[in-house]
Amino acid sequence: MVSILGAVDHARATDLARQLDVPANAVSFHLRTLARAGFVQEAPEFARDRRARVWKAVNQSWKAGDRESPLGPDDEAPLAAYLDQVTRDQQDMLTRLLGWARRRAAGRDREFRGEVSIGSLRLTPDEARAVFAEVGAVLDRARSLHHESTDADAAGVRTWDYTVLAARDDL
């Protein structure tokens, strides 16, 4: 839900329920839980009327190396739970993506479904920060292309999950 809200800017529980194919009341419960943990917040400025509850992600993406938002003592447990789930989601996505890459390389799947880029760069810490800032700017521009749409089938628009991983060789 946090990822979807980061991709679409804001949504109602019913919009998310339709996209996730789960009951809206379950989505509402989880949104309230995520709000208490500080990952999402209500966005009444996007509501059509006072009865509608609209939600948005607090951050559209999360960066482990972000010095601008250090953790407070109450943030560690919710962040740990979030990162545990992200780890499971990323492992699943990587497994599916690499399986697709093999099918695509063998000519069994012609549809573009993802991309895997694996390599190494030799950079100073300042150069690395500049590269990652540039990548972040590109992703921010891309996020604004179809930010308002929660309909997965609207004119072929899909949610594309991404992860940019980079670590020094001595991590």
Side-chain angles (χ1 to χ4, degrees):
M1 284 187 246
V2 174
S3 296
I4 293 169
L5 286 171
V8 299
D9 192 39
H10 64 276
R12 298 171 302 146
T14 54
D15 301 324
L16 295 169
R18 187 172 39 255
Q19 186 165 348
L20 297 169
D21 196 27
V22 296
N25 62 345
V27 171
S28 291
F29 170 80
H30 289 295
L31 285 168
R32 290 190 304 275
T33 302
L34 289 166
R36 282 192 301 277
F39 291 103
V40 302
Q41 64 187 23
E42 285 195 62
E45 66 272 20
F46 297 113
R48 290 185 213 129
D49 58 45
R50 289 182 166 206
R51 295 175 306 188
R53 280 183 97 174
V54 180
W55 299 87
K56 66 182 180 180
V58 171
N59 296 305
Q60 291 177 320
S61 61
W62 185 81
K63 298 175 186 137
D66 187 359
R67 289 184 279 174
E68 300 300 316
S69 54
L71 289 176
D74 295 335
D75 297 333
E76 192 169 348
L79 180 60
Y82 173 70
L83 292 177
D84 287 346
Q85 184 61 50
V86 166
T87 299
R88 289 188 293 276
D89 293 345
Q90 293 298 308
Q91 288 170 336
D92 178 59
M93 181 172 60
L94 184 58
T95 299
R96 289 182 288 116
L97 182 60
L98 294 177
W100 165 81
R102 286 189 295 271
R103 291 189 307 276
R104 184 167 171 91
R108 294 190 315 271
D109 191 336
R110 301 254 181 236
E111 186 174 345
F112 180 68
R113 298 176 191 267
E115 178 145 339
V116 178
S117 295
I118 300 171
S120 298
L121 301 169
R122 291 186 53 78
L123 303 169
T124 66
D126 287 340
E127 291 166 337
R129 276 192 279 281
V131 167
F132 303 141
E134 192 172 330
V135 168
V138 168
L139 294 170
D140 286 343
R141 286 192 304 275
R143 184 178 289 111
S144 69
L145 294 174
H146 297 281
H147 210 76
E148 73 288 345
S149 175
T150 57
D151 184 359
D153 296 319
V157 174
R158 302 292 303 190
T159 298
W160 291 75
D161 293 323
Y162 68 88
T163 300
V164 177
L165 294 175
R168 287 181 14 184
D169 58 355
D170 65 348
L171 179 65

